[in-house]
Amino acid sequence: MPEHTPVLELSHVSVAYRTAAGPVQAVNDVSLVVMPNEIVGLVGESGSGKSTMAYAIMRLLRGNAYVSGGSIRVLGRDVYAMGRQELRKFRWRHMSMVFQSAMSALNPVITVETQLVDTLRSHLPNMSVSEAKDRAANLLELVRIDPVNLKSYPHQLSGGMRQRVVIAIAIALEPELVIMDEPTTALDVVVQRSILDRLQEIQADKRFSVLFISHDFSLVSELSSRMAIMYAGRIVEEAPASSLSSIEGHHPYTEGLLRAIPKLTADEITIKGIKGHPPDLVDLPVGCAFHPRCPRAYEPCRLFRPEILATESGRVECHLFAEKEVL
Ligand code: ATP
Ligand code: SF4
């Protein structure tokens, strides 16, 4: 794959849930590109549409969810134009996902070894069982689990080890794109740190692309080169992670998330959350969806939805940026 061809290309993607109260527009006109060997962070409060976006990319939306517009391309291929067989071969081989909960991603009645061997052999039918077992042991070593655990069932492992197994399965077939949806949120800080450090090393070595999803702004900015900030189903800002070390000059929602990062002072932790709650997606506020919570809202914000504007290093959706003197 040429270096300049995106691994993931979201173009005006919308995803909705059918509900009795009407469609819930969980993802609303989202465009985003992830290039080869790049880690892009997708952040936002709970309910902003991050997981829905992830499931839509994998074409794993369930029940009442459906893609209502736009296109999703992975390695230049339209994920929704593939036949079922084609999709089955493509998923895990070229794009994989690490889910929030390791327990729900793993089969509780099958050993770790069998889960890894099955994943490998379902896509590489010429691989012998013994080859697959060797590869399974290598994969466990890669994620820093002693291969003696191959014969374990998921419930016999700690939460951190289970999540490492899920990561091993996700990278088993060396896919070009790995989507990670809050992969370590349920774990304690020390385990989380060690898994993420290892993940960064593996990514640097294998050079796959990652869409890393989390509500934890500082964690994502540490891992990613670029960040997309999501609010009420829309990407309201996209910026290089390096630019997010300073609070000023960003979308007011991004600024709010940056201010909400806990600050450790001499004898206390200060947390300044964003006031209010994300809006009801069935009945979004007119104008900018953030206006009821925005400390900088002014008249146009209550009337018109802001355009997407290019910035020096990314893009932003806010009226203030169209009126530079207000910044
Ligand atoms: P979290 O971090 O809590 O998972 P998120 O940013 O990933 O949040 P989503 O889980 O994608 O957000 O949810 C986006 C919106 O879609 C939410 O407002 C949620 O209430 C709504 N939603 C999710 N699942 C359904 C469903 N099955 N039916 C109706 N609405 C849903
Ligand atoms: Fe705030 Fe207005 Fe910008 Fe929306 S458009 S973020 S309400 S200033």
Side-chain angles (χ1 to χ4, degrees), residues 212-225:
F212 194 98
I213 297 173
S214 177
H215 66 279
D216 186 335
F217 203 109
S218 52
L219 182 124
V220 182
S221 61
E222 225 183 279
L223 291 173
S224 317
S225 55

Side-chain angles (χ1 to χ4, degrees), residues 17 19 24 26 45-52 64 100 182 281:
Y17 291 92
T19 71
V24 171
E45 289 164 296
S46 181
S48 54
K50 308 180 297 296
S51 295
T52 305
N64 56 341
Q100 283 187 26
E182 307 268 12
L281 297 178

Side-chain angles (χ1 to χ4, degrees), residues 53-72:
M53 191 66 258
Y55 280 85
I57 296 168
M58 291 294 288
R59 209 170 135 185
L60 284 173
L61 290 170
R62 292 271 173 266
N64 56 341
Y66 62 102
V67 173
S68 54
S71 72
I72 299 173

Side-chain angles (χ1 to χ4, degrees), residues 104-155:
S104 61
L106 295 170
N107 188 330
V109 295
I110 297 178
T111 63
V112 167
E113 182 177 62
T114 308
Q115 307 207 30
L116 277 161
V117 167
D118 285 355
T119 305
L120 289 163
R121 296 193 72 230
S122 65
H123 285 84
L124 306 168
N126 292 332
M127 186 179 260
S128 70
V129 174
S130 73
E131 271 180 295
K133 284 184 175 179
D134 288 348
R135 178 98 182 99
N138 291 342
L139 281 162
L140 281 203
E141 279 171 345
L142 192 66
V143 293
R144 298 268 190 269
I145 297 184
D146 190 322
V148 293
N149 291 292
L150 280 168
K151 302 289 178 203
S152 303
Y153 291 90
H155 72 270

